[in-house]
Amino acid sequence: MYPSRFSYEAPTTVKEAIALLSKANGEAKVLAGGQSLVPMMKLRFAAPQILVDINNIPGLAFHSADPDGTYRIGALCRHVDLEKDVELAAQQPTMAAAAPVIADPIVRTRGTVVGSLCHADPQGDWASVMSALGGSIVAEGPNGRRTIPCSDFVNGPFQNLLEPEELAVEATVPPPVGTRAGGYLKLERRIGDFATAGVAVSLELSGEQVVRAGIGLTGVGPSTICADAAAETLVGQALDQSTIERAAQLASDVSQPRSDHRGSEAYKRHIVATFVTRILSNLQPATEQAT
Amino acid sequence: MTIDEVKIGGLGASRPRVEDNRFIRGKGNYVDDIALPGMLHMELLRSPLAHARIKSIDVTAAWAIPGVRLVLTGEMMASRNLAWMPTLSYDTQAVLATDKVRFQGQEIACVVADDPYIAKDACEAIIVDYEPLPVIVNPTQAMTAGAPVIRDDKENQHDNLIFDWEVGDKDGTDAAFSAADVVSELELHYPRSHPSPIETCGSIADFDRSTSKLTVYMTTQAPHIIRAAVAMVAELPEHMIRIISPDLGGGFGNKVPVYPGYVVSILASILLERPVKWIEDKTGNLISTGFGRDVYLRGQMALRKDGKILGVRMHTDSDHGAFFSDAQPSKFKIGLMHSAFACYDIPTAHLTAQGVYTNKAPGGVAYRCSFRVTEAMFFQERMVQAAADDLGLDQAEFRRLNFVQDDDFPHRTPFGFLTDSGQYGKCLDIGLEAVGYKKFLEQKEEAKKNGRLLGIGISTMTEPLGAGNSREYDILGIKMFDSAELRVHMTGKAILRTGAKSQGQGHETTWAQIVAHELGIPADDVVVEEGDTDTAPFGMGTYASRSTPVAGAAVSMVSRKIRAKARKIAAHLLEVSEEDIDWELGRFYLRSSPDRGVTIQECAMAAYSNVPDGMEPGLENNAYYDPPNLTWPFACYIATVEVDPLTGVWDVLNMVAVDDCGVRINPMIVEGQIMGGLTEAYAMASMQFITFDDEGNCVGSNYMDYLLPTAWETPGFELHEVVTPCPHHPIGAKGIGECATVGGPAAFVNAVMDALKGSGVRNVDMPLLPDRVYEALTTSRDVSGAPPIRTS
């Protein structure tokens, strides 16, 4: 790999990292897992003057639930940390479904969840998951911390709302109001390929009734799509066949896929509907599924 | 007393691979591992455009960067008569572009610098002014009247046609079609792919002014051909050129041609009198070096109602890119495409072929295949399935009905090859049994009632491996024989060298096994060396599954020469005449008194210490082997799949392979070859393709876009074997390295087509990506051509 010339900094505190970013006048990039940034530097698509490596900052490699149920993922939490967490399925079923299908095992071992969110690739999986969960990014800058909802965080392909001097220190998911259920399905041509289409569904249930819902769509628009109308149609309902079909149709309608070498626009819309249906059908009570 | 051949690592021993010892320890020695004192680094500037006139090239800024030692452009190459070089198919190829660029990724300039970072920076500083020209990306565009002429550098080239070629019996075939009850038709595209060895191409050229010797470390599958080519292109005396091909990280046909990078690094070293290293990056390898396939095939099959095939017509339109640089025997313009239908008893056939230039990378290398055999067998087996379906016959029985029978050998194929051995029916039986054919057909019907789509696909084929014989096979006039040299040292240990060049095939392991088989010297006592033209005997290299059929035979023959001399020495030691002694593995003994004998090791010692009067000392020899025929392995591959009707995703349920490659030298290595080949077959069928958009941009220039299946998606394979020895090979072996890549894809595609049977779909071209399968299923229409690139 022969990237363009750059200088390398390895701060040991968040404060130090922010100071370095502030000094760099927007010419710095943060290195966490490096699974997107480094290949881009290799191809010289990215040529940052300064690389701020945050891997030496202690206290960022965590994922945990607060007593109130808020779920927090630190900036150095690797995909594999979630994949290997056997308790995650009960706490965060949508995340647990997504973690094993992020990229490939090599990328999962090194790449970070927060880094992936910041990278803002329209085909990135975590943005859909976090949007479905109503999650947020916590950004820390010279003036302290602020919280940015994931649904707003990405403002275009490979663009986010971070200021140049801000570091995304964690991602958070609000506490549930019901029992969590959910799933993530992705169509990829090969493991490690970007999604042809992906669907994240998060439900919170009270009995059989949906009390809160979120649906995020991967790879079918210029950035992650929050299928709010589809999610809304589930709230207050049980997961019967007609509700599922309605949600699938609404999700498909709101997607904005482009025809490309991964498939036609119509095909991708169809996959969105199929996956919404599959995830929700899978979450139906056993009696419903049988019918 | 008798030596157990398997114990000494002879024929049939699944001996662990000798070379793995260093590979798994990270001690391999690849070109990029080599660092010479004073070595400089070279980088190539490549064209971003597929077709454009070069108006000017400004290298001023590149020269100004500290650490830059040399900047070369086509113009400077031209002043040394090196702007163009000959290809392996009697065409010319630009080394560095002078007049135009003709494909995206074409080499325009080079920078040599103190380190590769500087070289890359300097390449970016070169300013090229282009005048874009209309781009041609497929044969239809190429042959449209008024299409821009890509090769306007060639006198008398007024269109984009490279060749019109035919083989077979046109009149006879026409007559067969007149007599046919049913005519089946099929049209398909075998998409372009790239062999993509993990190690890219590279070289270190080291010209020593004091000795006038040029040493080049190079990623090549055929070092001796390269030496000859360099001698001709660079006009250097052949004895002053030493090509060393060290460990290779895969080749798959990609490392047969001569590439501009090699040539430029050599010139740079001569000019600078310092070693110059060039290591291609992955994108450079994928967009500029020898691709495979890219052929449109169509044809018809004349059939009798009872299922007998009466004749076949085939036509191919092949896309060779901007330079006709296929690596193939010179006589045959579209490789051995006419080996198609060799396993079937078909009286007559006719093939026409047209090759064209396009604005795509050149190559047309034999990607893990014996020169276009992959396309031939794919068309054959897709056509056979289509014909069986048209006749309403069972696909297995239709094949069996038309197979060449066991007692019909030697058999003349419809295009004139001579096959010599095989048990086709037996292989099919074993395959059908292993896959549970009848039961699967029932399951398939049952599943259909529940809306599930199951399919089964068969591919059976024999293919010509081991070019040549030299009567018919040559590259640029150099006959396709091969060689081996064996030196047995006085303690009975030995070094063997051949003109082949392993790039993963395991020659260091298997050649020693042949020596062990012939001489009884334990395989561990034989070291194998290849790839250095100063030490290895002349050979044509390793590709087209030719190593075992040709070089492997030479290993046998040289061992037998050694044995013949050892016999004389044994007679001398035993003080009897040669006629009185017999050979058993590793030992000569007195026929009348078998306890009295001498071992091959004792003969070796005597060869250096106690030779009979009048005999030359030493125990060394070499052998050049010119095979009487190709070898004809047979394979039966059967895949079962399930297609998800809502997504078009298909999963392989089972893949059974029955291979008959004759005698197996090392069964473990053979199985490894088959598994690797099946993986590539699955790759072709499912995802691995390179395509181009309308502007000639290569889509597939990195491993995110060029999809190689990994262990995660590759299905498991079940292997079976039949052994029909090759009647003319010294140890009865046939080629095997490529069978599964050649025969495998049709099994997967036939299986998916079988699952779609009844939907009105006759063909979906590879790759069978989910969206294409879904499109076929929902529209009931064929899906043809390379996957569309829709950018808007």
Side-chain angles (χ1 to χ4, degrees), chain B residues 220-234:
Chain B
T220 176
Q221 297 173 227
H224 285 95
I225 302 182
I226 297 287
R227 186 180 64 186
V230 171
M232 291 187 284
V233 175

Side-chain angles (χ1 to χ4, degrees), chain A residues 1-3 44 104-105 187 189-194 258-264 267 270-271 274 278, chain B residues 116-117 120-121 124 644 646-647 649 687 703-704 706-709 712-713 769-771 774 788-791:
Chain A
M1 154 172 173
Y2 303 110
R44 299 194 170 194
D104 61 43
L187 180 70
R189 298 175 303 169
R190 182 197 61 187
I191 287 167
D193 186 24
F194 290 110
R258 282 195 335 181
S259 293
D260 61 16
H261 51 289
R262 289 188 175 80
S264 67
Y267 176 69
H270 164 77
I271 293 296
T274 302
R278 283 187 179 173
Chain B
Y117 298 91
K120 191 144 182 133
D121 288 348
E124 289 188 346
D644 179 343
L646 285 181
T647 60
V649 171
M687 62 179 78
Y703 280 163
M704 282 310 295
Y706 187 50
L707 305 173
L708 305 180
W712 293 305
E713 44 276 306
L769 289 164
D771 63 307
Y774 179 78
I789 304 303
R790 309 181 185 98
T791 43

Side-chain angles (χ1 to χ4, degrees), chain B residues 277-529:
Chain B
K277 178 189 264 189
W278 166 63
I279 299 293
E280 186 178 60
D281 61 19
K282 183 53 71 183
T283 293
N285 183 250
L286 285 169
I287 66 175
S288 77
T289 62
F291 66 92
R293 333 300 184 219
D294 211 349
V295 181
Y296 294 80
L297 302 109
R298 60 174 192 269
Q300 297 112 24
M301 188 174 257
L303 298 153
R304 217 162 57 194
K305 267 194 299 238
D306 64 1
K308 180 82 185 85
I309 304 170
L310 301 175
V312 176
R313 279 196 197 113
M314 270 175 85
H315 176 79
T316 70
D317 288 299
S318 47
D319 179 340
H320 299 263
F323 309 103
F324 183 32
S325 65
D326 288 25
Q328 62 190 2
S330 305
K331 257 175 96 170
F332 308 110
K333 291 299 173 205
I334 190 71
L336 305 186
M337 186 74 81
H338 56 305
S339 62
F341 300 97
C343 71
Y344 299 107
D345 182 15
I346 301 176
T348 182
H350 185 238
L351 163 72
T352 52
Q354 194 170 74
V356 300
Y357 292 117
T358 60
N359 292 118
K360 289 150 75 172
V365 297
Y367 172 8
R368 202 166 186 169
C369 94
S370 192
F371 315 114
R372 303 286 184 186
V373 166
T374 310
E375 295 96 309
M377 298 308 157
F378 182 72
F379 181 79
Q380 166 193 306
E381 285 307 295
R382 291 285 298 118
M383 181 81 245
V384 163
Q385 191 191 22
D389 289 350
D390 287 347
L391 290 170
L393 294 176
D394 174 82
Q395 51 174 322
E397 290 315 308
F398 179 64
R399 285 178 169 83
R400 192 193 307 280
L401 177 69
N402 286 288
F403 273 158
V404 175
Q405 300 301 306
D406 298 359
D407 50 6
D408 281 349
F409 294 106
H411 177 83
R412 192 61 71 180
T413 78
F415 288 106
F417 288 93
L418 198 67
T419 56
D420 52 28
S421 57
Q423 301 176 69
Y424 304 165
K426 184 178 176 185
C427 291
L428 179 62
D429 287 340
I430 291 172
L432 293 175
E433 170 74 25
V435 82
Y437 186 60
K438 289 222 167 75
K439 192 162 171 233
F440 186 84
L441 293 183
E442 288 164 21
Q443 285 170 349
K444 185 186 148 187
E445 288 314 308
E446 196 56 36
K448 202 164 191 177
K449 291 177 197 158
N450 304 319
R452 290 172 58 209
L453 300 176
L454 304 187
I456 185 162
I458 301 176
S459 176
T460 52
M461 57 107 215
T462 186
E463 57 157 334
L465 296 184
N469 56 80
S470 68
R471 293 184 311 284
E472 289 194 280
Y473 300 98
D474 69 86
I475 292 182
L476 297 178
I478 307 168
K479 303 289 190 183
M480 299 188 76
F481 48 77
D482 229 293
S483 63
E485 181 209 75
L486 181 60
R487 299 179 177 187
V488 182
H489 311 316
M490 68 175 85
T491 56
K493 319 293 181 189
I495 181 166
L496 176 89
R497 295 187 171 106
T498 84
K501 174 58 202 156
S502 189
Q503 66 237 224
Q505 290 86 348
H507 292 179
E508 288 171 55
T509 308
T510 50
W511 292 166
Q513 292 185 247
I514 296 177
V515 175
H517 169 70
E518 296 289 352
L519 292 177
I521 295 175
D524 286 347
D525 289 354
V526 182
V527 67
V528 174
E529 204 181 88

Side-chain angles (χ1 to χ4, degrees), chain B residues 65 123 671 709:
Chain B
I65 294 175
C123 272
E671 284 170 16

